[in-house]
Amino acid sequence: MVRVCLELNKITKAIEYVERSKTRNLVEQILERDAKTIFPPDVVTQLETYRDEIAVGQYQIQNGKAENPQDLAKRLQELRQQRNNLQDKYLPIGSGFKFAQLPTTLDANTAVIEWYIATDRILAFIIQPHGQQLISWQSPAAELDALIDWRNEYLIDYYNPEDENKIQWQNQLETRLSKLAEILHIEEILGHIPEQCQRLILIPHRFLHLFPLHALPVKSSYLIDLFPKGVSYAPSCQILQQVQLRQRPESQSLLKSLFAVQNPTADLYENGEKDLGAVNVIKKKFTQAHIIKQAKANKSAILHVDENHHTTLNPELRQANNIFFFCHGYFNPNSPQDSGLQLADANLTLIEIIAHFKLANCHLVTLSACETGMIDFRNTSDEYIGLPSGFLLAGSTNVVSSLWTVSATATALFMMKFYEELQQQTNIVLALNAAQHWLRNTTIKGFQDWLPKSSLSIFGQKEINKRLSEIAKDKRESTPPFKSPFYWAAFYHTGKGV
């Protein structure tokens, strides 16, 4: 349908079909598992009535038993629309999307690129600032094969069991990103965006969600450097629209209250590395901070289930405007709604986050650990079902997560700088991008000079200085040790930005 719409030059209809496919599976999974907890009893009964009547009508049409197939088909369409309208009153994400409503949520400095991987080529939709123009772009047919080959090589190296430290993957990352920029024709696509545009939102598709598109080399620089107000991501236009319209009290400080989960599983430092104390530095920047760590960071500390099987969210977490998870994330390809975060005694699943987290005050969820923003690369679904979209649907306006197994030292430095930047400005995208620039451009000596100002404990400073000294054995003090995209491009922002 997307290709047919483009052939007929109906670009708006094409992107609406793209968006419809991106929400269908998630809506169905939510309904299948948690309908009776999401909807009031009378609504559940009405939805079951719609379901049964639609099923009977479909059976009659398919088996030639309908007296008037055309009238029945029209009736079924009406029933589906009534069902969708009723569901949409309660679901965190709806069954449809109207492009005409999106431009009002974009300002005069923000453009959007949404990709769609068709069966024979790569498609991109470019939404200019204020939605003043919607442009479609299609790759040459051969580029899809090139993209799939590129993806396979990237992932084979990343998951190579003979290279546990991913050295070969790291060494190839910069070169591979240059090749990806060519395959996606990123410079050609950017040519459709006005030069005065200052912010870019990327909406990948399928396995493109796995890669740091903000770190694509462009014009002797990186994509992230071309937009002064930052580059961020969204799972879909529909979720972007919801998040952009979501308001938080202006009087509420971005660094007012923190809820953090710290080191719930011992294997976070299984290679003998020690906790550098970044969470302790970060919590000092907040007026209020509630930290649960190690064995105390268990499931019941997040969600409490009473004797009547009613689930309530930890009140400190519910009220926090910043939530920080320093723990493992995982993706379950066979049951995406069971993907989640590993706590000390159990997993906090995606469906639990969507169903039970009501984050009316939350500005930012930071998932500071390995692979918290990943999806399963074998997934052929049109949509991205993962932790970032789960926290957005649960109420947060912003999520920061990671695309691969990150360096403990670089991540500690990065996170401390990120929250330091948040003290200076309220724009989360700018703070994140500034921290990425700092991490990749700061020299060994620059980090050593910064450490005494960082609020790290003496132990933390000594430990990082020790690691920097090990790096300095092979490099000059004027060398930026974390210049490679491996260190700074793993973390990315999804959501509103402020």
Side-chain angles (χ1 to χ4, degrees):
M1 286 303 299
V2 173
R3 290 298 305 277
V4 168
C5 289
L6 290 176
E7 291 292 334
L8 296 174
N9 200 33
K10 295 184 176 181
I11 303 175
T12 298
K13 279 293 183 186
I15 197 171
E16 289 178 351
Y17 273 107
V18 166
E19 285 290 317
R20 189 178 303 176
S21 70
K22 286 185 175 182
T23 62
R24 183 181 63 247
N25 289 340
L26 184 55
V27 168
E28 289 177 355
Q29 287 165 4
I30 293 172
L31 291 174
E32 180 181 347
R33 179 155 173 174
D34 279 80
K36 292 185 179 180
T37 62
I38 292 172
F39 304 112
D42 59 325
V43 174
V44 172
T45 301
Q46 183 60 54
L47 289 172
E48 289 175 346
T49 301
Y50 283 137
R51 179 197 63 196
D52 294 344
E53 190 172 345
I54 290 170
V56 170
Q58 287 176 329
Y59 174 82
Q60 291 175 344
I61 291 175
Q62 291 168 359
N63 292 276
K65 297 184 178 182
E67 293 182 6
N68 193 323
Q70 291 183 337
D71 287 349
L72 181 56
K74 184 178 179 181
R75 171 61 180 160
L76 293 181
Q77 185 62 27
E78 291 172 353
L79 289 173
R80 291 188 185 98
Q81 188 60 53
Q82 291 170 12
R83 177 200 61 192
N84 290 345
N85 291 341
L86 182 58
Q87 288 175 178
D88 290 353
K89 291 181 180 179
Y90 299 91
L91 287 172
I93 184 169
S95 60
F97 170 76
K98 295 297 182 184
F99 176 79
Q101 299 170 1
L102 178 67
T104 58
T105 65
L106 300 177
D107 61 31
N109 294 311
T110 303
V112 177
I113 301 174
E114 178 166 14
W115 277 276
Y116 188 77
I117 299 174
T119 54
D120 61 347
R121 67 190 65 222
I122 307 163
L123 307 177
F125 296 88
I126 302 99
I127 306 170
Q128 293 190 349
H130 263 327
Q132 58 190 355
Q133 190 174 358
L134 174 63
I135 299 166
S136 67
W137 174 90
Q138 299 186 35
S139 73
E143 295 293 30
L144 180 56
D145 290 337
L147 177 60
I148 292 172
D149 290 342
W150 184 95
R151 175 204 65 184
N152 293 341
E153 291 174 4
Y154 176 100
L155 294 171
I156 286 170
D157 264 4
Y158 184 81
Y159 288 106
N160 183 0
E162 298 179 1
D163 186 12
E164 290 185 5
N165 295 322
K166 307 187 188 304
I167 301 301
Q168 181 174 336
W169 172 82
Q170 287 184 42
N171 292 338
Q172 292 290 325
L173 184 58
E174 183 101 42
T175 303
R176 284 206 170 109
L177 289 176
S178 294
K179 181 61 177 176
L180 180 59
E182 293 177 10
I183 293 171
L184 293 178
H185 294 257
I186 190 65
E187 292 197 22
E188 183 181 340
I189 291 174
L190 290 174
H192 295 290
I193 296 175
E195 290 185 6
Q196 66 270 24
C197 181
Q198 296 188 322
R199 184 185 174 199
L200 181 64
I201 299 173
L202 305 174
I203 304 179
H205 184 222
R206 289 178 53 191
F207 52 78
L208 285 180
H209 282 284
L210 291 168
F211 313 127
L213 304 179
H214 57 283
L216 292 177
V218 182
K219 300 177 181 177
S220 303
S221 187
Y222 295 101
L223 181 61
I224 196 174
D225 299 323
L226 303 183
F227 296 88
K229 292 192 175 181
V231 176
S232 61
Y233 293 76
S236 68
C237 276
Q238 185 174 177
I239 294 179
L240 173 63
Q241 184 179 39
Q242 287 186 11
V243 171
Q244 293 285 12
L245 294 173
R246 201 172 289 162
Q247 299 297 321
R248 294 291 180 262
E250 291 184 7
S251 60
Q252 194 179 75
S253 167
L254 185 59
L255 297 180
K256 180 183 177 183
S257 56
L258 171 71
F259 184 96
V261 173
Q262 183 180 0
N263 306 340
T265 54
D267 64 333
L268 280 169
Y269 291 97
E270 59 187 3
N271 295 323
E273 294 183 332
K274 300 174 183 177
D275 184 353
L276 298 174
V279 175
N280 293 330
V281 172
I282 290 168
K283 76 177 183 180
K284 294 176 184 177
K285 302 185 184 301
F286 289 83
T287 307
Q288 306 166 22
H290 185 83
I291 314 294
I292 56 173
K293 60 178 67 174
Q294 299 174 348
K296 292 183 179 179
N298 54 35
K299 187 77 166 282
S300 61
I302 303 291
L303 295 172
H304 174 67
V305 182
D306 62 22
E307 63 275 9
N308 297 318
H309 303 289
H310 293 145
T311 302
T312 56
L313 186 64
N314 181 304
E316 282 88 1
L317 190 153
R318 187 177 64 250
Q319 294 300 321
N321 63 3
N322 262 265
I323 301 171
F324 191 100
F325 282 94
F326 188 76
C327 61
H328 286 306
Y330 64 95
F331 187 89
N332 185 332
N334 298 316
S335 182
Q337 66 269 27
D338 291 321
S339 305
L341 296 164
Q342 293 178 0
L343 301 176
D345 62 339
N347 296 326
L348 178 65
T349 66
L350 176 60
I351 197 66
E352 288 173 326
I353 292 167
I354 294 173
H356 303 302
F357 277 48
K358 306 302 179 186
L359 307 178
N361 297 315
C362 188
H363 286 282
L364 173 64
V365 174
T366 302
L367 305 175
S368 175
C370 301
E371 302 181 354
T372 50
M374 288 189 72
I375 61 170
D376 183 76
F377 64 91
R378 295 165 296 178
N379 181 21
T380 58
S381 169
D382 275 353
E383 64 190 291
Y384 171 47
I385 303 175
L387 292 170
S389 58
F391 279 107
L392 291 178
L393 293 174
S396 180
T397 52
N398 300 277
V399 180
V400 169
S401 55
S402 67
L403 290 168
W404 52 74
T405 301
V406 291
S407 157
T409 304
T411 299
L413 291 166
F414 172 77
M415 284 297 166
M416 287 187 288
K417 184 63 176 177
F418 172 47
Y419 279 88
E420 182 181 300
E421 288 290 330
L422 285 177
Q423 284 186 304
Q424 311 300 321
Q425 56 187 320
T426 59
N427 189 303
I428 295 169
V429 177
L430 288 181
L432 186 75
N433 291 174
Q436 288 172 319
H437 280 90
W438 176 80
L439 186 68
R440 87 182 202 225
N441 293 323
T442 302
T443 64
I444 293 173
K445 187 176 186 310
F447 285 121
Q448 291 170 336
D449 292 341
W450 174 83
L451 280 174
K453 311 170 189 175
S454 67
S455 299
L456 263 174
S457 66
I458 297 299
F459 166 77
Q461 292 183 47
K462 286 182 177 179
E463 188 66 24
I464 290 181
N465 256 319
K466 177 183 175 182
R467 298 183 193 184
L468 289 171
S469 297
E470 291 173 357
I471 295 170
K473 289 178 182 178
D474 303 319
K475 296 181 175 67
R476 297 178 180 177
E477 285 189 340
S478 59
T479 300
F482 305 120
K483 186 177 182 179
S484 167
F486 163 70
Y487 297 105
W488 58 267
F491 287 98
Y492 70 101
H493 168 272
T494 308
K496 187 173 184 177
V498 294

